[in-house]
Amino acid sequence: MKKILTVLLLIVTNIVSSQNLDSIGDELFKLVNDARIEHSLTPATYNEKLSKAAKIQSDYLLTVEKIEDITHVHPNPKLERCWDRVASLSNDKNLIIYENITTFTYNSNDNIALRAHNNFMNSKNGHREAVLLENVGCLGDVYSIKYGQSIVYEPKHNWIIIVQLYALHFED
């Protein structure tokens, strides 16, 4: 029985890999910018440092044992808050950071990017607001919206974990 479960786990892992997490990320980023344009906002700009900061959190979340414990407030003992993770990669101290996290059980029939995007856009906890972040400051200053993400598959529980980071006034 254990061998059968191991084989099934390997098959599912290969299926997720075959969907290519990078292409899922590309699709999710396109969905984000499509939503921004639909709401007359400028598209977000992909930022590698933000993606690295998102990866720090998604890698940590791979160690969490219960799906309900995967939230924004789940403390990461290494770099607890999203701005700590971004600050570890940037000298800019003048940041406004938003973090979106969604986790769900992988289903091969799902469009992972669309499911994640819909989770964020239908959320009542500020996720939609992060996607549709205004790029005008309180003094009328216009900022570009920077975007980073990490998408990981956790095979033990068959979870997809997605972390998005949005930043205003993020300097490379």
Side-chain angles (χ1 to χ4, degrees), residues 100-156:
N100 283 349
I101 297 173
T102 188
T103 304
F104 47 86
T105 302
Y106 173 72
N107 177 333
S108 62
N109 295 321
D110 278 346
N111 176 320
I112 294 170
L114 185 59
R115 181 170 177 189
H117 184 69
N118 287 339
N119 286 355
F120 295 136
M121 295 304 286
N122 295 325
S123 169
K124 295 178 180 17
N125 296 320
H127 298 93
R128 177 185 177 87
E129 289 78 7
V131 173
L132 301 177
L133 186 62
E134 296 278 342
N135 60 322
V136 179
C138 60
L139 299 176
D141 299 328
V142 178
Y143 301 104
S144 62
I145 304 298
K146 306 290 185 176
Y147 174 87
Q149 66 186 9
S150 178
I151 303 170
V152 294
Y153 174 67
E154 196 286 303
K156 179 179 173 188

Side-chain angles (χ1 to χ4, degrees), residues 67-93:
I67 198 166
E68 60 270 11
D69 287 342
I70 298 180
T71 68
H72 303 283
V73 295
H74 195 283
N76 180 333
K78 186 175 179 183
L79 295 165
E80 187 172 325
R81 299 166 303 191
C82 60
W83 48 87
D84 295 330
R85 294 185 290 277
V86 173
S88 75
L89 301 167
S90 169
N91 294 324
D92 189 354
K93 305 296 181 221

